Amino acid sequence: MKSGRWTAWAFLAPVVLYLAAFYAYPLYRNLDLSLRNYTVRSFVQGGAPFAGFGNYAQLFESPTFGPALAHTVVFTLVSILFQFSIGMALAVFFTQTFPLSAMLRALFLVPWLLPLIVSASTWSWMLNSDSGIVNWALGLAGAGPVNWLTSPHWSLVSVIIANVWIGIPFNLVVLYSGLQAIPSDIHEAAALDGASGWQRFWRVTFPLLRPVSAITLLLGLIYTLKVFDIIWIMTKGGPTDSSTTFATWSYRLGFGSLLPKFGPGAAVGNLLIVIALAFGLIYIRVQRRQEAR
């Protein structure tokens, strides 16, 4: 009996060590950073004075907090809405059998497979005010040029467009897999009962796809909350903080100046962790309620 218990612990040990080294300790260090006034010297040598929740109070009093929070909410919700909607439409489309279906699905995965720095740089070139292909196309259509990356009114829209394009393949793959798991007999029975295509989707397909949809939305939410590369490469959060989110603000506080503010930067990161954790707990609660029915 004891030998079996020790064997179980031996199998669990690598997982426990991995979680402790790569999750628990970094979270502890980030929390410690957010509660102390670290400088570059104290960050290396130690001895940073304890600040309590002073760094968090500094964030809430900052004029950047409100716009960064609003941009984070808008960037996250709009990105998820379009990624999920377009991904769902494409997944339903690819359930139909037609020539070159597999090749088209593979091509739609390209944005997901490209490094983020390549995708963001490509969109920066396409949306360039002077030489971008998007403004060139608008000129052919008779419209005037748009300052996509340098206008406070368009910078957030620009990074949302790029992020939606990058996130669609993930939603397509997961939702398509979920659709493939639904028995075709159910759709055939609904069709025999006289249900239209939209009725079959809304009353049969979508409810059966709800567990897959929930995990897709949750993963998309967590990923989008921490998006940094795309925004930083395209706009660096500007101009005038018009596309600053919590992720870019955290980086700018911690590493974006000659006098870094490690404590406030870590505090912004902790706010993102709390938000992601809250939505994760909501997902678990909803799943338990559905399983209890």
Side-chain angles (χ1 to χ4, degrees), residues 18 28 91 110 164 168 194 257 266 281:
Y18 174 82
Y28 162 74
V110 171
V164 168
I168 287 173
S257 66
L281 293 175

CSV table of all heavy atoms in Angstrom, one decimal, residues 18 28 91 110 164 168 194 257 266 281:
chain,number,residue,atom,x,y,z
A,18,TYR,N,7.2,21.3,-11.9
A,18,TYR,CA,7.0,22.2,-13.0
A,18,TYR,C,6.1,23.4,-12.7
A,18,TYR,O,6.4,24.5,-13.0
A,18,TYR,CB,6.5,21.4,-14.2
A,18,TYR,CG,6.1,22.2,-15.4
A,18,TYR,CD1,7.0,22.6,-16.3
A,18,TYR,CD2,4.8,22.6,-15.6
A,18,TYR,CE1,6.7,23.4,-17.4
A,18,TYR,CE2,4.4,23.4,-16.7
A,18,TYR,CZ,5.4,23.8,-17.6
A,18,TYR,OH,5.0,24.6,-18.6
A,28,TYR,N,4.5,34.5,-7.4
A,28,TYR,CA,5.0,35.1,-6.1
A,28,TYR,C,5.9,36.2,-6.3
A,28,TYR,O,5.8,37.3,-5.7
A,28,TYR,CB,5.7,34.0,-5.3
A,28,TYR,CG,6.6,34.5,-4.2
A,28,TYR,CD1,6.0,35.1,-3.0
A,28,TYR,CD2,8.0,34.6,-4.3
A,28,TYR,CE1,6.8,35.6,-2.0
A,28,TYR,CE2,8.8,35.1,-3.3
A,28,TYR,CZ,8.2,35.6,-2.2
A,28,TYR,OH,9.0,36.1,-1.2
A,91,ALA,N,-16.3,27.7,-40.0
A,91,ALA,CA,-16.4,26.3,-39.5
A,91,ALA,C,-17.7,25.6,-40.1
A,91,ALA,O,-17.6,24.5,-40.6
A,91,ALA,CB,-16.4,26.2,-38.0
A,110,VAL,N,-2.8,29.8,-42.0
A,110,VAL,CA,-1.5,30.6,-42.2
A,110,VAL,C,-1.4,31.7,-41.2
A,110,VAL,O,-0.3,31.8,-40.6
A,110,VAL,CB,-1.4,31.1,-43.6
A,110,VAL,CG1,-0.2,32.0,-43.8
A,110,VAL,CG2,-1.2,29.9,-44.6
A,164,VAL,N,-7.9,40.4,-34.9
A,164,VAL,CA,-9.0,39.5,-35.4
A,164,VAL,C,-8.5,38.6,-36.5
A,164,VAL,O,-8.8,37.4,-36.5
A,164,VAL,CB,-10.2,40.4,-35.9
A,164,VAL,CG1,-11.2,39.6,-36.7
A,164,VAL,CG2,-10.9,41.1,-34.7
A,168,ILE,N,-8.7,34.4,-36.0
A,168,ILE,CA,-9.8,33.6,-36.6
A,168,ILE,C,-9.4,32.1,-36.8
A,168,ILE,O,-10.3,31.3,-36.6
A,168,ILE,CB,-10.1,34.3,-38.0
A,168,ILE,CG1,-10.9,35.6,-37.8
A,168,ILE,CG2,-11.0,33.3,-38.9
A,168,ILE,CD1,-11.2,36.4,-39.0
A,194,GLY,N,-38.8,19.3,-41.0
A,194,GLY,CA,-39.1,20.6,-41.6
A,194,GLY,C,-38.3,21.8,-41.2
A,194,GLY,O,-38.7,22.9,-41.5
A,257,SER,N,11.3,52.8,-20.2
A,257,SER,CA,12.0,54.1,-20.0
A,257,SER,C,13.3,53.8,-19.3
A,257,SER,O,13.6,52.7,-18.8
A,257,SER,CB,11.1,55.0,-19.1
A,257,SER,OG,10.9,54.4,-17.8
A,266,ALA,N,4.4,45.6,-12.4
A,266,ALA,CA,4.0,44.3,-11.9
A,266,ALA,C,2.5,44.4,-11.4
A,266,ALA,O,1.8,43.4,-11.6
A,266,ALA,CB,4.9,43.8,-10.8
A,281,LEU,N,-12.9,31.3,-13.3
A,281,LEU,CA,-13.8,30.8,-12.3
A,281,LEU,C,-15.3,30.8,-12.7
A,281,LEU,O,-16.1,29.9,-12.4
A,281,LEU,CB,-13.7,31.6,-11.0
A,281,LEU,CG,-12.3,31.5,-10.3
A,281,LEU,CD1,-12.2,32.4,-9.1
A,281,LEU,CD2,-12.1,30.0,-9.8
